[in-house]
Amino acid sequence: MSRALSRLMSALGLEAQDAEPALLEPAELARWYASLSPEERVAVSRELAPRVRAPRATRDPSTLPAVATGRLVFEQDGPQGPLPLHHLKVELWDRDPGAPDDFLGEGFTDGDGHFAIRYDPADAGIGDLPDLELCFFEPQHTFRKDGRVVEAWRRIGSQRGPDDHGGLHYDFGTLRLPYWEYDPATPLARLFVTEEGTPPTAYAPGRSLAMLKAVSPIELIKRQHLLQIRLGQTPSVARLQADYPESMTVRMEREAPGSSRGDAFFGERLLNGMFATVMDRDPEVPGDVCAFRLYFPWNAYEQDGIHCLPDVDVRLRLVDGRVLPVRIVLGLREPGATAPGSPVTRRTFTPEDGASWEAAKRIARMSATLDTELGNHLGQCHFNVEQYAIAAHRNLRRNPLRWLLMPHLREVVLINHSASGFLVGPNGYITRASALTERGIEARLQHLMGSYDWRGFAPAAPVCEGHRYAHAAQLFWRLLGEHVDAFFAEHGGAVEAEWREVRRFSDDLVAHSVPAFVCRYLRARVPGKDAPWFVRSERMDLDVKAAEPPPRAVSAVTHTDVPQPGELDALKQLCRYVIFFATFRHAWANNLQWEDAGEVLYACLGLRWGKGGVLVAEEDPEVAPAPDEATEMLWISWMLSKTNYGLILANEEDDVHPRLVELLRARAAEFAALGLDVRTISSRINI
């Protein structure tokens, strides 16, 4: 409560009954009231109304003499014209400048955005004609310990009407609200925020403190480095590294030199580090041999010609329970080449190549780091979840589906809005520190987003006993299945009763997702063919998505206002998918940033062309990241890993269903055996 609101409530005798009211003159009361925010004025008016107005019997709204009507629509039209803002709460008030406003009535927009609020003009006060004003509210919720929902309403806007309105009917007409609009300037489903504006939501208060606590220890380190660089006293990469807290690989090298650069550790991090991704079988090796392939096709994108980012083809084998690299093929451009599809020279490296093998592994680690940041992290989690968040906020209000999804969709658009300038864009860190240009990054992200779909998704099976990430992913997926099934068992009938909201949610998702993307290599080898080497469980259905013209990447849940057979199960699958990426998958990729990207010479986003090429020793300063980019990288990696707020078990805002909290807590020991502390799993993406 603000100081102004507290003082005014006390003066009006609206605080605790044993509190001594403050004595204020009428003019000072008006001044204090004028200083309040709209939300605080509403609070005062609600408290004051029953004390200054004589009690009266509840009246049938249909008997009230006056009515205010209108229609709410989104600011941006759809293909068929205005899009209705359905099921928003609308309140009608009498404005009283300098004094508490008078509440006149309330209602909800219908499925087409229309509303009608009946009211009594006498409620404006004796001798006062109402100065009409509409206020709009969206629903919020929290859960009690027993799982019961507590609903609340958050004001999102208002519209002034006429002063001293003496008639019995007023039509506000069609009102356009800029509410959770899509950005028309990008092919991705991104929230539209004007240059001077702010997103239609806010971080939870505790998140700012968590960020400050995480960043404070290293902020001065980075500032000191940048100042030294500007003064011409540039520290070496080794000096920069030593100033930051010790990362996992730095500690490993101190305790056992060479341990973090070995083949076994290389394979281990591809399985269980922040790089953890789908492991396809090697299509060139017989099926009875356990061999795998990772391929990063960077030559398809525009590059800056300064950094070296070759195509990387990594072949691995399962040997004595460990996944080991056995061959790395690099498709190297000529230094300075920038165009997509530039000519490349392919060079093959094996463990017998000594120093060149170590250099090739370093390039592969760099490639995996960039792919993780753009794919596993930014694309598959941040931007993928954002498209579900926008569609949900635009459409889910009466449907109890909101209680299941919204805790995991809050704040993602906020952190993504920051990432649009901080990480990507013309001056973003990834743009500056990697070989990809702004256009190259945009093309890569569009291709990635074109490959994500909820339909048919399930975490891939582990490739070996030591594949801890895959074991943990499958365990969490089963846990989410229990949670979602229990929710639908309790609320499935109400979900079906408000299926029109589900249809609009689905329509928005499909309409604003990018076209499905299937690269030429996969088109030639997977759709309609027997391809046992290709892991299908985490991928979209290529037999469907490889059609021409390409369909949208995101599949529809429904096309009707009434659920058809199988569609309720499809909706459950979508919910499970969204929560998985907003919680477990993002936490795994994000929380390991400091472990896997906390040493500049071990892993970075980009290596530069040096006089001796790029296949040189780690210590070559011409190839390593520039000092300013190096200190920024360490700062970012620490910040991402150490900012922890909005955790499932902590449930700081009480918006996560208690069932999910208990399901996760009950499996804490199983996850711990896989190296995952369940206390670190976030409930949403806010970092």
Side-chain angles (χ1 to χ4, degrees):
M1 183 182 295
S2 71
R3 180 172 177 270
L5 178 59
S6 179
R7 183 75 185 271
L8 187 60
M9 297 283 272
S10 174
L12 295 173
L14 300 181
E15 290 190 321
Q17 293 183 356
D18 57 350
E20 184 69 24
L23 298 177
L24 296 177
E25 295 296 326
E28 191 172 4
L29 277 172
R31 180 174 63 81
W32 279 97
Y33 182 77
S35 70
L36 301 180
S37 68
E39 290 76 13
E40 291 172 331
R41 292 187 186 188
V42 169
V44 171
S45 298
R46 290 188 186 283
E47 291 290 337
L48 188 62
R51 307 192 187 204
V52 299
R53 196 178 289 153
R56 62 187 178 193
T58 301
R59 293 178 291 181
D60 180 354
S62 64
T63 66
L64 298 179
V67 63
T69 59
R71 188 188 187 205
L72 299 185
V73 299
F74 287 97
E75 179 72 29
Q76 297 177 8
D77 287 345
Q80 308 304 320
L83 296 172
L85 262 166
H86 57 268
H87 304 160
L88 276 182
K89 184 179 181 182
V90 185
E91 293 185 352
L92 184 66
W93 289 78
D94 164 43
R95 296 187 311 277
D96 282 325
D101 300 333
D102 295 304
F103 173 74
L104 301 179
E106 66 181 16
F108 290 85
T109 59
D110 63 16
D112 293 319
H114 295 284
F115 66 87
I117 303 174
R118 301 205 69 89
Y119 69 99
D120 187 347
D123 288 344
I126 299 175
D128 183 19
L129 293 176
D131 304 324
L132 298 182
E133 181 166 8
L134 290 175
C135 297
F136 315 120
F137 299 83
E138 66 178 5
Q140 309 276 285
H141 81 272
T142 56
F143 283 106
R144 295 183 179 177
K145 299 300 182 184
D146 59 3
R148 287 187 296 169
V149 177
V150 178
E151 290 277 27
W153 296 93
R154 186 176 82 95
R155 177 171 163 157
I156 59 172
S158 63
Q159 176 68 40
R160 293 173 68 96
D163 293 339
D164 296 328
H165 180 66
L168 296 181
H169 176 260
Y170 182 76
D171 184 4
F172 280 86
T174 298
L175 304 176
R176 292 182 175 270
L177 267 63
Y179 183 72
W180 289 92
E181 306 288 349
Y182 288 97
D183 187 346
T186 172
L188 308 184
R190 302 293 310 281
L191 183 71
F192 179 61
V193 182
T194 61
E195 185 175 346
E196 299 81 11
T198 56
T201 184
Y203 287 117
R207 190 265 187 188
S208 298
L209 183 59
M211 170 70 82
L212 184 62
K213 183 179 179 181
V215 171
S216 293
I218 60 168
E219 178 68 21
L220 290 180
I221 297 174
K222 184 188 73 170
R223 292 190 183 189
Q224 180 185 23
H225 291 163
L226 296 178
L227 179 59
Q228 288 173 326
I229 293 169
R230 285 196 295 270
L231 295 175
Q233 303 168 4
T234 304
S236 66
V237 171
R239 179 68 262 167
L240 294 172
Q241 187 75 55
D243 288 343
Y244 281 90
E246 189 175 61
S247 66
M248 178 181 69
T249 55
V250 171
R251 185 185 69 253
M252 290 176 64
E253 289 304 303
R254 175 174 55 80
E255 296 175 350
S259 58
S260 70
R261 271 56 170 180
D263 292 354
F265 190 73
F266 180 93
E268 155 66 19
R269 299 319 287 174
L270 289 180
L271 287 181
N272 299 315
M274 79 174 194
F275 316 116
T277 187
V278 177
M279 283 281 195
D280 286 317
R281 290 297 185 102
D282 187 339
E284 299 176 3
V285 176
D288 58 343
V289 178
C290 211
F292 308 98
R293 182 192 189 195
L294 291 176
Y295 183 62
F296 306 107
W298 299 117
N299 195 45
Y301 305 101
E302 183 180 82
Q303 300 183 19
D304 63 8
I306 299 170
H307 295 84
C308 175
L309 184 59
D311 287 341
V312 178
D313 188 349
V314 183
R315 306 300 173 103
L316 308 105
R317 295 283 181 95
L318 183 63
V319 180
D320 297 330
R322 299 185 301 179
V323 171
L324 302 176
V326 296
R327 178 160 52 106
I328 297 175
V329 182
L330 302 180
L332 292 154
R333 294 180 176 188
E334 290 296 317
T338 62
S342 292
V344 299
T345 300
R346 302 202 178 276
R347 294 187 59 182
T348 300
F349 303 88
T350 66
E352 288 72 34
D353 290 322
S356 295
W357 172 247
E358 297 304 320
K361 282 194 302 182
R362 184 190 188 193
I363 292 174
R365 283 198 303 269
M366 177 268 294
S367 182
T369 304
L370 180 59
D371 185 69
T372 295
E373 297 298 3
L374 287 177
N376 298 0
H377 188 202
L378 191 59
Q380 198 171 33
C381 293
H382 282 257
F383 290 165
N384 187 24
V385 171
E386 178 174 2
Q387 64 184 342
Y388 292 90
I390 298 173
H393 278 95
R394 285 169 63 90
N395 295 291
L396 300 180
R397 280 178 279 280
R398 283 187 184 170
N399 199 302
L401 197 62
R402 173 171 57 84
W403 304 332
L404 177 65
L405 289 181
M406 287 306 189
H408 310 293
L409 297 176
R410 63 181 299 176
E411 302 181 339
V412 64
V413 298
L414 295 170
I415 193 65
N416 289 359
H417 180 57
S418 299
S420 295
F422 177 62
L423 290 180
V424 295
N427 300 308
Y429 179 75
I430 298 178
T431 313
R432 290 181 287 110
S434 79
L436 295 179
T437 64
E438 181 183 7
R439 283 188 295 189
I441 292 172
E442 290 174 351
R444 179 62 176 166
L445 285 172
Q446 186 167 346
H447 288 167
L448 289 167
M449 292 295 289
S451 67
Y452 303 145
D453 189 20
W454 59 267
R455 187 177 294 279
F457 176 89
V463 303
C464 62
E465 187 61 30
H467 199 175
R468 293 181 291 104
Y469 164 75
H471 286 294
Q474 292 204 325
L475 176 59
F476 197 86
W477 185 252
R478 292 194 297 271
L479 179 154
L480 286 181
E482 294 180 43
H483 173 52
V484 172
D485 284 346
F487 183 90
F488 274 78
E490 183 178 2
H491 301 291
V495 169
E496 293 187 68
E498 297 294 343
W499 195 255
R500 191 177 188 186
E501 288 194 349
V502 175
R503 178 182 181 177
R504 290 181 175 179
F505 170 66
S506 175
D507 287 348
D508 264 349
L509 273 174
V510 175
H512 294 279
S513 66
V514 300
F517 174 74
V518 184
C519 71
R520 286 179 297 177
Y521 178 86
L522 292 181
R523 281 181 181 275
R525 289 166 174 79
V526 177
K529 298 179 177 66
D530 181 23
W533 56 270
F534 182 72
V535 177
R536 297 176 183 268
S537 64
E538 292 200 21
R539 269 66 171 263
M540 61 188 184
D541 187 342
L542 297 192
D543 290 331
V544 173
K545 300 298 185 179
E548 290 292 347
R552 294 288 176 172
V554 176
S555 297
V557 172
T558 182
H559 296 287
T560 64
D561 289 342
V562 177
Q564 302 303 303
E567 290 184 344
L568 201 63
D569 286 336
L571 182 59
K572 291 164 65 174
Q573 164 72 10
L574 179 149
C575 294
R576 197 176 179 187
Y577 172 90
V578 171
I579 299 172
F580 179 84
F581 281 98
T583 57
F584 171 84
R585 186 65 179 111
H586 177 260
W588 193 282
N590 187 79
N591 295 354
L592 294 176
Q593 294 271 341
W594 185 245
E595 289 191 11
D596 286 306
E599 183 188 355
V600 176
L601 297 183
Y602 172 79
C604 61
L605 297 185
L607 298 174
R608 297 176 293 173
W609 286 106
K611 293 178 182 178
V614 72
L615 293 162
V616 296
E618 286 184 357
E619 295 75 17
D620 189 335
E622 292 182 344
V623 173
D628 58 338
E629 294 170 0
T631 193
E632 283 188 81
M633 168 189 152
L634 295 173
W635 184 93
I636 292 170
S637 296
W638 177 274
M639 178 267 294
L640 293 176
S641 292
K642 305 302 180 181
T643 301
N644 297 307
Y645 186 84
L647 304 169
I648 293 179
L649 290 194
N651 198 8
E652 297 96 335
E653 313 304 320
D654 292 323
D655 57 348
V656 177
H657 198 295
R659 182 192 305 110
L660 179 58
V661 177
E662 293 308 314
L663 285 172
L664 186 58
R665 183 176 287 121
R667 289 166 172 80
E670 295 177 71
F671 282 109
L674 297 169
L676 178 61
D677 183 347
V678 296
R679 294 172 299 179
T680 66
I681 302 177
S682 51
S683 63
R684 60 213 189 237
I685 298 173
N686 62 7
I687 190 60

